[in-house]
Amino acid sequence: MTSYSFDDLIDDALEATVVLSFSRLGYELRRRLDHWPALPREGLAGKTALVTGPTSGLGRVTAVGLAQLGARLVLVGRNEHKLDALRRELAALTGADRYRTVVADLSSLASVRGAVAEIRESETRLDVVVDNAGAIYPDRGETDEGIERTLAVLVAGPFVLQS
């Protein structure tokens, strides 16, 4: 019989809530409980990372972490004002403005295609892609393109983004 630790209980509780599991709290608790090592400062200098859904939760933690590691970031999200605020915050935090924002709604394939075209014009390469955008809808619905909304955000949009 395997032993069940307090850490396992916390991890299971995070998973059961779903939302907390994918939040800044979930990340911070797991980082401490699992003793994740500190990452090397400037370990991603010269690399470019794209992060979707970077303005809250795990996406925000990821963007901050990548910025602190020296990465140049392409921040992709729906809200221009939140993206700009995050860009300014990252620039102040790191002392460098190496952050580009691209407004796109991953539930809209047309919006994603526009973002891909914009990114291809400005970026010669992407070293890291973190698809973090997500949504939980209380009711079933379809996008203007006829795709169920959750499927559009979690599957179809990211698939087109990788093209």
Side-chain angles (χ1 to χ4, degrees), residues 7-25:
D7 294 358
D8 293 329
L9 179 65
I10 296 295
D11 189 62
D12 286 351
L14 288 171
E15 285 298 307
T17 64
V18 179
V19 173
L20 285 179
S21 184
F22 294 96
S23 71
R24 185 179 307 165
L25 175 64

Side-chain angles (χ1 to χ4, degrees), residues 28-141:
E28 288 297 335
L29 281 171
R30 287 191 172 109
R31 185 176 67 78
R32 288 187 177 107
L33 293 173
D34 294 337
H35 309 289
W36 294 347
L39 298 171
R41 189 155 178 80
E42 297 300 314
L44 291 178
K47 304 293 185 189
T48 300
L50 181 147
V51 181
T52 67
T55 59
S56 65
L58 283 178
R60 183 179 193 80
V61 170
T62 300
V64 169
L66 291 169
Q68 290 174 325
L69 290 171
R72 176 180 172 355
L73 298 181
V74 178
L75 306 165
V76 180
R78 294 179 296 183
N79 187 307
E80 182 177 8
H81 300 292
K82 287 183 179 181
L83 288 170
D84 286 341
L86 177 59
R87 183 192 55 74
R88 288 190 306 274
E89 179 185 327
L90 294 174
L93 176 70
T94 63
D97 192 359
R98 56 180 188 269
Y99 313 106
R100 175 165 170 34
T101 62
V102 177
V103 177
D105 180 349
L106 262 67
S107 72
S108 164
L109 300 185
S111 180
V112 174
R113 287 185 183 105
V116 168
E118 184 178 336
I119 293 164
R120 283 188 172 162
E121 285 180 19
S122 67
E123 306 303 321
T124 57
R125 64 187 256 179
L126 294 175
D127 300 291
V128 176
V129 175
V130 179
D131 174 34
N132 178 72
I136 298 174
Y137 300 102
D139 299 313
R140 186 185 188 291

